Amino acid sequence: YPLCAFSLRRAASINAEYMGGFSWYPLFGDCKVLRSLEAILNNISALQLFRSFLIAECTVENLLLWVEIEIFKDNSTLRHAQRIYNKFLKDEPELEVTTVSDELKVLVYNRIARDSRFIGEYSGIFDEVQKEIFEYMKRESYPRFLASAQSRTLMDY
C-alpha cells in the first residue's frame, strides 16, 4: 500500500496537535502490521525485518531477550531461567541489555535463587523484565523502525 495521501508535514502537524509532540513518522494507511509493535512481534516477516533493523542499530539484544522470555513461558524450567539470566542479565553477560534496570536484574536473580520450582508452570519471573524491554522498544526502537526504509517493505502485507 502506498503512503497515505497526507503529506509528512500535515501528518506532523496533526500529530503535534493531538499528541502534544512533533513527529515526522509517515502514515501507513491500511498496513496493519505496522500499526503497533505488537503486530510486528506477531508477524514473522515483520519480526525478521525489525530484527535486521535492530542489528543495524546495535540494539538487537532487547528483541532477543523479549523472544527468549516468550519461549520461556512455554518451557519454564530452572535451567532455562538460569540460561536467560546468564546470557542477558548477569554482570558481564554474553549479550548485554542495558535497558533493564540493575534493581530488576537483582530481583530476577533473587527469584531464581529462591524459587527452584520452575517445572511445568510459568512462574512470571521475567514479566517485569519483558515489560520494561517492550516499553523501551515501543518508545525508542519502534518509531525509528517506522521511519526507516525497511518498514516500507512491509507495505504489501
Side-chain angles (χ1 to χ4, degrees):
Y1 296 97
L3 289 176
C4 191
F6 288 110
S7 70
L8 290 178
R9 185 169 305 211
R10 179 67 183 134
S13 69
I14 290 169
N15 194 25
E17 186 177 330
Y18 293 107
M19 303 300 281
F22 186 80
S23 173
W24 284 97
Y25 303 130
L27 298 177
F28 290 101
D30 291 333
C31 185
K32 291 181 181 167
V33 75
L34 291 173
R35 289 187 182 172
S36 70
L37 180 58
E38 294 90 342
I40 289 173
L41 296 174
N42 287 309
N43 179 295
I44 192 68
S45 297
L47 183 60
Q48 289 171 340
L49 282 171
F50 188 54
R51 184 190 66 188
S52 295
F53 171 79
L54 293 177
I55 288 170
E57 283 211 332
C58 300
T59 59
V60 73
E61 294 83 4
N62 294 309
L63 179 62
L64 295 175
L65 178 53
W66 187 90
V67 169
E68 193 72 42
I69 293 170
E70 283 297 298
I71 294 168
F72 176 75
K73 291 176 181 179
D74 293 331
N75 182 27
S76 300
T77 64
L78 177 60
R79 184 175 178 177
H80 195 183
Q82 290 169 334
R83 189 171 64 81
I84 292 171
Y85 179 82
N86 290 334
K87 187 174 184 178
F88 295 99
L89 302 173
K90 74 175 185 173
D91 290 337
E92 299 182 32
E94 180 183 330
L95 297 171
E96 188 171 5
V97 177
T98 59
T99 57
V100 176
S101 67
D102 290 338
E103 295 81 16
L104 193 49
K105 290 177 183 180
V106 169
L107 179 67
V108 169
Y109 175 81
N110 290 336
R111 286 178 180 168
I112 292 171
R114 181 187 71 233
D115 189 2
S116 60
R117 300 177 305 272
F118 285 107
I119 302 175
E121 233 175 88
Y122 175 64
S123 67
I125 191 168
F126 294 108
D127 284 352
E128 293 96 341
V129 171
Q130 191 175 37
K131 182 179 180 197
E132 202 168 290
I133 289 170
F134 180 85
E135 291 302 320
Y136 172 82
M137 289 191 303
K138 185 175 180 180
R139 182 181 66 248
E140 299 292 330
S141 304
Y142 172 65
R144 288 194 308 271
F145 176 68
L146 288 181
S148 75
Q150 287 157 311
S151 70
R152 289 180 191 81
T153 62
L154 293 170
M155 297 297 282
D156 295 330
Y157 289 91

